[in-house]
Amino acid sequence: MNTATKPRHIGRNISRIRELRGMKQEALAQAIGTSQQAISGIEGSETIDMEKLSEVAKALGVTIEAIENFSEESVLNFFNNFYDNSANNGAQGSSNNNILNFNPLDKVVELYERLVQAEKEKVEYLEKLLKGK
């Protein structure tokens, strides 16, 4: 069955784009002011009204057309072309070869450590106040 005869499933497209963006249903729900259950319902629907589709597209950082015309093949082509262009142009002194990667878990640990340090400072301050009385 080719893509010309296969009906587009907008909800499935939204789900795949959301997953590729590394976004959870809860995050998308919060971005458009709805519940995770509503997002689950949207992703299960073959069609979505244009107003809701527009909100979802904006939250995902894509166009409505990108959602409507999404296909796994086009994503693979995009990434393959992107990788090929990066590999070909990266060694030629391009200023775009700064790839920034970070581990989200490292960021969580860093935030946790900062919060613990802030709490320690609060305790020290309160102990000083108590000793001063």
Side-chain angles (χ1 to χ4, degrees):
M1 178 182 274
N2 65 29
T3 55
T5 61
K6 189 175 179 182
R8 301 231 182 253
H9 193 289
I10 299 297
R12 192 173 304 126
N13 292 353
I14 290 170
S15 175
R16 290 298 296 137
I17 293 169
R18 177 184 56 75
E19 290 167 356
L20 288 168
R21 306 269 305 162
M23 184 182 276
K24 296 207 176 280
Q25 284 184 339
E26 295 86 6
L28 180 56
Q30 187 176 21
I32 65 171
T34 190
S35 67
Q36 179 272 324
Q37 292 82 3
I39 297 300
S40 181
I42 288 171
E43 291 181 355
S45 301
E46 285 190 37
T47 59
I48 298 164
D49 68 90
M50 287 305 287
E51 184 178 326
K52 186 61 74 177
L53 184 59
S54 175
E55 291 176 18
V56 170
K58 184 176 179 184
L60 290 173
V62 297
T63 64
I64 292 172
E65 294 77 23
I67 293 174
E68 292 174 334
N69 299 321
F70 176 82
S71 73
E72 299 289 332
E73 183 178 325
S74 65
V75 170
L76 290 174
N77 286 337
F78 172 80
F79 282 113
N80 285 338
N81 289 337
F82 180 79
Y83 176 76
D84 289 345
N85 288 337
S86 295
N88 292 335
N89 297 328
Q92 297 174 353
S94 170
S95 64
N96 293 332
N97 60 354
N98 295 334
I99 299 173
L100 304 176
N101 290 324
F102 67 92
N103 183 348
L105 189 55
D106 289 341
K107 293 293 182 184
V108 170
V109 170
E110 179 184 329
L111 176 61
Y112 177 76
E113 289 172 346
R114 288 193 338 224
L115 289 171
V116 168
Q117 184 60 37
E119 288 301 313
K120 285 180 182 177
E121 290 171 3
K122 283 183 197 175
V123 168
E124 288 175 10
Y125 177 73
L126 291 172
E127 286 175 348
K128 267 188 187 178
L129 286 178
L130 284 174
K131 287 179 183 177
K133 285 189 174 183

